[in-house]
Amino acid sequence: MYVCICNAVTDKQIRRAVHNGCDSMRDLRMELGVAGCCGKCAPDARALLLDSKREQAGNGHGVSITLVPV
């Protein structure tokens, strides 16, 4: 499903970016352009970011979750 319409970014792309090391909204914005235009996608993108990080932590990947203000 599309999360960021402005930059045509999907939930799968966000999850893949987190898997590849993105661990903040700033990282997602730099990597994919998420929330870099109108910003309406920011809440959903942040939720996916945190969910993906929790999944990785639950799978024993040793990922710590740090909330960083945007």
Side-chain angles (χ1 to χ4, degrees):
M1 141 181 95
Y2 282 97
V3 175
C4 177
I5 301 300
C6 296
N7 293 304
V9 178
T10 66
D11 60 325
K12 289 180 182 181
Q13 289 174 291
I14 291 173
R15 290 184 186 280
R16 189 175 316 119
V18 172
H19 178 76
N20 290 332
C22 289
D23 67 351
S24 69
M25 285 297 291
R26 180 176 291 143
D27 289 344
L28 289 178
R29 188 170 32 256
M30 292 178 70
E31 182 76 19
L32 301 172
V34 172
C37 195
C38 77
K40 290 183 180 180
C41 63
D44 290 331
R46 178 180 287 280
L48 276 167
L49 170 71
L50 295 175
D51 186 53
S52 297
K53 289 173 73 171
R54 283 187 196 104
E55 284 177 8
Q56 283 185 344
N59 289 331
H61 289 102
V63 176
S64 64
I65 298 174
T66 305
L67 298 178
V68 179
V70 179

